[in-house]
């Protein structure tokens, strides 16, 4: 941001530095959603209707969505060259939204399900979409200070995401809300104090496998 017109971000510059920033932002979000698939489930497969029509349709949506996110990531540099910074951002926002929804559902169901993974996925999506909303508001007002909210939303979304990963092995789905609050506070305070091995809740630590 300092590089772009000395923080004058309303001047939409299209070059390698901004292109790289966009590629890793959107691409990372897309790949993160794909990576949360269940272990052993291939990317290319036929929909599984053995458990009913609804489950089969959900599986078909997941297959199409994964391929859509993968293609969106691969063609992003081309879109950036063709449409520029502002144009490619507008086109890629739908893929980012799909990735956010996939991340919420998969983080909650595939790594849980428990209260931590549900609220971790939900708050991840809320904060990520808040960043998109602030970005749209910035485009309408060109108030540079809004970039604090834009960047803060995207960076902040990784906090509930990480806490969900940390507590993925806890039993579910019913964990009391006060236990969740205690777990979050315990994680943050332990991490800030440097006692990383004691961070988290329910006996989990850095050395505990996630799956």
């Amino acid at each position: 941001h300092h590089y772009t017109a000395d923080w004058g971000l309303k001047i939409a510059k299209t070059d390698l530095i901004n292109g790289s920033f966009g590629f890793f932002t959107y691409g990372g979000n897309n790949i993160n959603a794909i990576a949360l698939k269940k272990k052993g489930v291939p990317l290319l497969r036929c929909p599984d209707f053995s458990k009913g029509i609804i489950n089969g349709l959900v599986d078909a949506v997941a297959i199409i969505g994964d391929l859509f996110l993968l293609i969106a990531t691969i063609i992003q540099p081309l879109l950036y060259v063709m449409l520029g910074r502002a144009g490619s951002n507008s086109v890629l926002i739908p893929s980012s939204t799909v990735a956010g929804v996939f991340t919420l559902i998969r983080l909650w169901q595939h790594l849980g399900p428990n209260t931590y993974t549900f609220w971790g996925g939900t708050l991840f999506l809320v904060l990520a979409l808040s960043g998109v909303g602030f970005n749209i508001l910035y485009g309408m007002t060109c108030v540079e200070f809004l970039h604090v909210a834009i960047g803060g939303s995207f960076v902040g979304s990784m906090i509930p995401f990480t806490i969900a990963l940390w507590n993925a092995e806890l039993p579910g789905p019913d964990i009391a809300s006060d236990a969740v609050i205690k777990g979050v506070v315990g994680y943050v305070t332990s991490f800030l104090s440097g006692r990383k091995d004691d961070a988290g809740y329910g006996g989990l630590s850095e050395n505990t496998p996630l799956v």
Side-chain angles (χ1 to χ4, degrees), residues 32-48:
N32 196 39
I34 296 172
L36 286 170
K37 289 190 305 86
K38 284 187 177 179
K39 182 179 179 181
V41 176
L43 184 65
L44 297 175
R45 63 189 187 279
C46 292
D48 181 10

Side-chain angles (χ1 to χ4, degrees), residues 57-142:
L57 291 174
V58 169
D59 194 33
V61 170
I63 294 168
I64 295 169
D66 282 337
L67 292 175
F68 168 71
L69 294 175
L70 182 61
I71 292 169
T73 303
I74 294 171
I75 69 171
Q76 183 182 338
L78 181 60
L79 290 175
Y80 188 85
V81 171
M82 293 172 60
L83 303 176
R85 175 174 176 253
S88 62
N89 282 344
S90 300
V91 172
L92 291 166
I93 283 177
S95 71
S96 187
T97 304
V98 171
V101 173
F102 271 45
T103 299
L104 159 60
I105 295 171
R106 287 173 168 174
L107 181 63
W108 172 30
Q109 291 293 323
H110 293 181
L111 295 185
N114 63 41
T115 306
Y116 281 99
T117 57
F118 171 75
W119 284 110
T122 300
L123 293 175
F124 166 84
L125 181 60
V126 168
L127 286 167
L129 292 180
S130 296
V132 174
F134 282 121
N135 193 38
I136 293 171
L137 181 61
Y138 167 76
M140 296 167 58
T141 63
C142 290

Side-chain angles (χ1 to χ4, degrees), residues 1-13 18 21 26 85-86 89-90 93 129-151 153-154:
H1 289 333
H2 172 71
Y3 164 80
T4 304
D6 193 19
W7 292 89
L9 298 179
K10 62 185 174 185
I11 304 171
K13 214 171 188 181
N18 277 309
F21 175 80
Y26 286 109
R85 175 174 176 253
N89 282 344
S90 300
I93 283 177
L129 292 180
S130 296
V132 174
F134 282 121
N135 193 38
I136 293 171
L137 181 61
Y138 167 76
M140 296 167 58
T141 63
C142 290
V143 175
E144 302 299 336
F145 186 75
L146 282 173
H147 273 83
V148 174
I150 296 171
S153 296
F154 288 122

